[in-house]
């Protein structure tokens, strides 16, 4: 793991009806990240999403919120990555994760997509699963037939608070991730 992260993507669905749903945890993260770095996200049609660029230690860092629906997230990721010649292993994708308890966080490079349509499309468009993932736990409804309704609904106030706390904790790890301090970041993010 020696690559520098050059793009951070938050996954979600566009539109006010999805704004507060669990599936938009990645959008919530990017909004907070942009606020923290005083970056303004602007809609960019050629990148199929809202984009911001900041400079950290002389290197460009891109923030992206795809404006496609979740299952077409790869269209935005691939467009920005190809235009700025960003390699898959220089991309961090932040997304909601059913298989992690609410409020918990996992960070990893590569792996499967766990049935997550956003990740599936990004893997297909990039031609590899080898990008970083910051997985924000949202819990599982207990029955796979309930998953779609679950991710497309608002979390309870208690769960929303746990997700917000996980986002705040994740934001504290961003400087470590950008510096390539992977072990320290993993230790911090995976701790309770």
């Amino acid at each position: 793991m020696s690559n520098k992260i050059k793009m951070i993507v938050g996954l979600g669905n566009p539109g006010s009806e999805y704004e507060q749903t669990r599936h938009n945890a990645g959008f919530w993260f990017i909004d907070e990240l942009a606020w923290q770095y005083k970056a303004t996200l602007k809609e960019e049609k050629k990148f199929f999403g809202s984009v911001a660029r900041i400079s950290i230690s002389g290197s460009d860092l891109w923030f992206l919120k795809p404006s496609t629906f979740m299952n077409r997230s790869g269209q935005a990721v691939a467009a920005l990555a190809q235009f700025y010649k960003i390699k898959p292993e220089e991309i961090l994708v932040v997304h909601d994760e059913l298989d992690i308890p609410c409020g918990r966080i996992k960070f990893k490079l590569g792996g499967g997509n766990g049935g997550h349509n956003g990740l599936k499309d990004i893997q297909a468009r990039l031609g590899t699963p080898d990008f970083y993932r910051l997985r924000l736990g949202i819990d599982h409804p207990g029955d796979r037939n309930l998953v779609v309704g679950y991710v497309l609904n608002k979390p309870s106030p208690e769960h929303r608070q746990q997700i917000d706390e996980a986002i705040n904790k994740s934001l504290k790890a961003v400087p470590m991730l950008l510096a390539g301090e992977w072990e320290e970041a993993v230790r911090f993010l995976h701790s309770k």
Side-chain angles (χ1 to χ4, degrees):
M1 289 205 226
S2 62
N3 292 292
K4 276 235 189 293
I5 290 174
K6 295 183 181 170
M7 184 198 310
I8 302 178
V9 183
L11 299 187
N13 281 308
S16 55
E17 68 270 35
Y18 297 107
E19 218 169 283
Q20 300 303 319
T21 64
R22 291 177 180 90
H23 226 14
N24 276 31
F27 275 12
W28 302 342
F29 176 88
I30 288 290
D31 288 338
E32 287 298 316
L33 185 66
W35 182 84
Q36 192 174 310
Y37 282 94
K38 297 172 181 44
T40 304
L41 290 155
K42 291 190 184 81
E43 184 66 31
E44 292 274 357
K45 295 231 181 297
K46 70 177 174 183
F47 299 131
F48 308 97
S50 296
V51 177
R53 177 175 67 176
I54 63 167
S55 184
I56 293 186
S57 308
S59 296
D60 283 340
L61 175 64
W62 295 91
F63 301 155
L64 172 64
K65 281 171 55 177
S67 56
T68 57
F69 280 92
M70 180 67 81
N71 61 351
R72 307 246 330 270
S73 300
Q75 185 178 11
V77 174
L80 189 70
Q82 286 162 3
F83 191 85
Y84 290 106
K85 300 186 176 21
I86 298 170
K87 299 184 208 126
E89 60 275 16
E90 296 170 331
I91 299 171
L92 170 62
V93 176
V94 183
H95 64 91
D96 59 296
E97 178 58 67
L98 286 162
D99 298 328
I100 298 175
C102 197
R104 299 297 301 274
I105 309 158
K106 294 288 179 196
F107 173 76
K108 69 176 186 172
L109 172 63
N113 56 49
H116 193 292
N117 290 329
L119 293 178
K120 245 186 241 179
D121 194 55
I122 292 169
Q123 278 179 230
R125 300 283 184 139
L126 295 179
T128 178
D130 294 333
F131 50 88
Y132 290 99
R133 297 103 187 274
L134 182 65
R135 304 155 69 207
L136 301 169
I138 61 166
D139 263 345
H140 197 287
D143 179 338
R144 64 190 193 110
N145 296 318
L146 301 176
V147 164
V148 171
Y150 181 78
V151 299
L152 294 179
N153 274 293
K154 283 173 74 163
S156 67
E158 180 191 351
H159 273 186
R160 177 64 197 246
Q161 185 180 348
Q162 291 173 325
I163 295 166
D164 286 344
E165 286 167 4
I167 287 170
N168 289 332
K169 182 175 182 177
S170 299
L171 289 168
K172 290 182 184 137
V174 167
M176 293 179 235
L177 295 172
L178 295 178
E181 296 166 358
W182 311 114
E183 291 79 13
E184 295 88 333
V186 166
R187 247 194 320 277
F188 174 73
L189 289 167
H190 293 190
S191 67
K192 283 189 180 174

